[in-house]
Amino acid sequence: MKIPIWQVDAFASAVFAGNPAAVCELESWLDDCVLQNIAAENNLSETAFLVRNATGFDLRWFTPTTEVELCGHATLAAAKVLFDRRGWPEPEIRFQTRRRGVLTVARQGGLFVMDFPALPVQPMKTPAGLAAALGAEPRQVLASTDDWLAVMDGEETVRNLTPDLAAVAQYGCRCLVPTARGISADFVSRAFAPRFGIPEDPVTGSAHCVLAPYWAGVLGKSDLRAFQVSKRGGEVFCRNAGERVMLGGEAAVYLEGMITA
C-alpha cells in the first residue's frame, strides 16, 4: 500500500509556524482502523484524508485518537496541496464531508478562504473548578454544540495561561477556547482539546466558526483579524456572514512523501 502524504503548516506564511496537518490522498476509502492508525502514526493534531468524487473530494479528518466532524486547518492544508501540488484547475474546491455537508475553499490572492458553518454560542453557568483548571477566572463562559468559549480579561491573560490539562479533559466539551480582545488583532484565542489527544492545538479553524460570530457581535463588525496566540501562533482572517463564516489563511508545505504500509 502506497499513499501520497504531505505535511502542511496551515495558517502560516512559512514553515515552522501555524498548525501542522497531514494530508493523505487515497484512491478509495480504507478501513477506519487503518485511517486511525495512520493518524496516530503521524501524531499531528489532525490528518486529512481525501478521495476524489464527481464534483471534488470526499474529506475526513482524524486526530491521533478519534475522527472529528469538522477541522479547519487540515481543510486549508488539503486545499494547499490540491491547488499547489496537484494543479487543481478550478477557482474553488468542493469537499463533501460526512456531518457538515459541502465545504468549499477558494483561492483569493495569497489566501485560501474556507466557507464554513457559523456555530452560535449560548451563555452557560461557569462549571465548577474551571478557573482552577484554566489558571485564571473567566469573565464569561459560552457553549456551542462542541466547544466552550472562556472569555478572559485581556490578551496577556490568554497568552500566559498554563492550564491543568488533566482537569480540562474532565469537562464534556470537545475544545476549551479561552479568548479575549486583542492588542494587534481584533481578538486572540488559544485552544485545548486533551480529551481528543490534542493538549493544545496551535491554530484551530473550527473554533473560529464559534469565535468569529461571537466577536462580530461584540465588536459590531463583520470582518475580523484573529490571532491564535499559541507557541507557534497563526493568523486567521474572518468574515461573519450570518449562517456561514469565511476563514482565510496562508499555508506552507513542509514535506511530501509516500506512506508504504
Side-chain angles (χ1 to χ4, degrees):
M1 180 175 64
K2 292 188 176 183
I3 300 170
I5 184 171
W6 295 262
Q7 186 171 318
V8 179
D9 289 339
F11 297 112
S13 59
V15 296
F16 309 127
N19 198 352
V23 179
C24 295
E25 187 178 26
L26 307 175
E27 293 183 1
S28 60
W29 287 112
L30 304 172
D31 289 344
D32 284 6
C33 63
V34 176
L35 301 180
Q36 188 62 73
N37 284 338
I38 291 172
E41 187 79 7
N42 290 337
N43 199 32
L44 299 170
S45 56
E46 264 91 13
T47 295
F49 295 97
L50 301 169
V51 173
R52 189 76 167 87
N53 62 31
T55 60
F57 295 85
D58 293 331
L59 174 62
R60 296 171 70 185
W61 311 274
F62 286 75
T63 78
T65 61
T66 191
E67 184 173 8
V68 296
E69 65 178 52
L70 185 65
C71 177
H73 83 281
T75 304
L76 192 156
K80 171 71 173 179
V81 167
L82 293 172
F83 277 121
D84 288 2
R85 292 297 193 266
R86 290 309 205 203
W88 183 254
E90 304 296 330
E92 181 180 271
I93 304 172
R94 290 170 57 88
F95 294 109
Q96 180 66 52
T97 68
R98 291 193 163 191
R99 296 189 181 180
R100 294 295 183 176
V102 174
L103 307 175
T104 64
V105 184
R107 190 165 211 163
Q108 297 181 12
L111 298 180
F112 300 97
V113 178
M114 304 181 291
D115 183 340
F116 269 32
L119 303 177
V121 292
Q122 295 294 330
M124 62 181 286
K125 182 179 179 181
T126 301
L130 185 63
L134 266 177
E137 183 76 41
R139 289 182 173 179
Q140 185 181 26
V141 181
L142 306 102
S144 72
T145 53
D146 296 311
D147 301 331
W148 292 354
L149 300 188
V151 182
M152 312 304 291
D153 62 9
E155 179 174 324
E156 288 306 310
T157 298
V158 176
R159 285 183 179 274
N160 294 329
L161 291 173
T162 55
D164 180 342
L165 294 174
V168 171
Q170 301 307 307
Y171 295 106
C173 60
R174 179 192 67 166
C175 193
L176 179 59
V177 185
T179 184
R181 291 193 188 207
I183 297 170
S184 59
D186 290 304
F187 66 89
V188 298
S189 66
R190 291 171 70 186
F192 305 101
R195 289 181 62 237
F196 287 78
I198 307 168
E200 179 170 6
D201 199 33
V203 194
T204 313
S206 61
H208 286 77
C209 296
V210 183
L211 288 161
Y214 170 76
W215 283 110
V218 171
L219 300 176
K221 56 194 293 189
S222 296
D223 292 316
L224 304 126
R225 178 175 169 267
F227 199 83
Q228 195 153 329
V229 290
S230 64
K231 183 177 180 180
R232 290 174 65 96
E235 189 172 34
V236 185
F237 296 91
C238 308
R239 172 168 291 173
N240 186 47
E243 295 184 354
R244 308 294 293 181
V245 292
M246 308 302 163
L247 305 176
E250 299 176 272
V253 175
Y254 169 67
L255 65 80
E256 51 190 307
M258 193 73 68
I259 296 171
T260 56

